[in-house]
Amino acid sequence: MKKLVTLPLVLSAICLWMPMTNSAQAAANGEELFKQRCSVCHPNGGNIINPRETLHKGEREVNTVEEIIGKMRNPGPGMSKFDSNALPDSDAKAIAEYILKTF
Ligand code: HEC
């Protein structure tokens, strides 16, 4: 009888805890992915190829997650292209959110 009571409790505790670890993970992933894929050219949000096109707020022309993902999918001159094979939407979104909150 005791087991029947504790099992649902344990399950609901796990369900409450999962979304929190997921979002913490997404944040860490955005930073990790940015470092792996973007920071060669954009160290600390700068731009070593074209110094006028940085990722810093006020300097960048893209200010939403969608616009930043659009940039990865259709970059301008000098930037590598990241299509959805190279960078799935979920990863692209994590990177875009990291850029918006960091630089
Ligand atoms: C090979 C070097 C290179 C890499 C790697 C690179 N970029 Fe860029 N990026 C550039 C250059 C050059 C520009 C300026 C041309 C343009 O606007 O597309 C730029 C511009 C941008 C802009 C627009 C900045 C503005 O002023 O509006 C964003 C956003 C951006 N990059 C995001 C990324 C992200 C995210 C990644 C990683 C997934 C990445 N870049 C990887 C070279 C790079």
Side-chain angles (χ1 to χ4, degrees), residues 18-33 94:
M18 289 290 282
M20 290 196 293
T21 48
N22 279 347
S23 61
Q25 227 167 32
N29 274 346
E31 180 174 4
E32 257 332 286
L33 288 164

Side-chain angles (χ1 to χ4, degrees), residues 19-77:
M20 290 196 293
T21 48
N22 279 347
S23 61
Q25 227 167 32
N29 274 346
E31 180 174 4
E32 257 332 286
L33 288 164
F34 181 84
K35 284 183 180 148
Q36 286 165 11
R37 314 300 289 272
C38 321
S39 63
V40 228
C41 298
H42 298 289
N44 297 316
N47 191 331
I48 58 162
I49 313 261
N50 184 344
R52 284 174 307 173
E53 302 281 349
T54 78
L55 305 183
H56 293 285
K57 197 174 178 177
E59 288 180 28
R60 59 172 135 81
E61 290 147 31
V62 286
N63 290 297
T64 63
V65 166
E66 289 71 29
E67 285 175 326
I68 294 177
I69 295 177
K71 197 72 183 180
M72 297 182 230
R73 304 299 190 218
N74 288 299

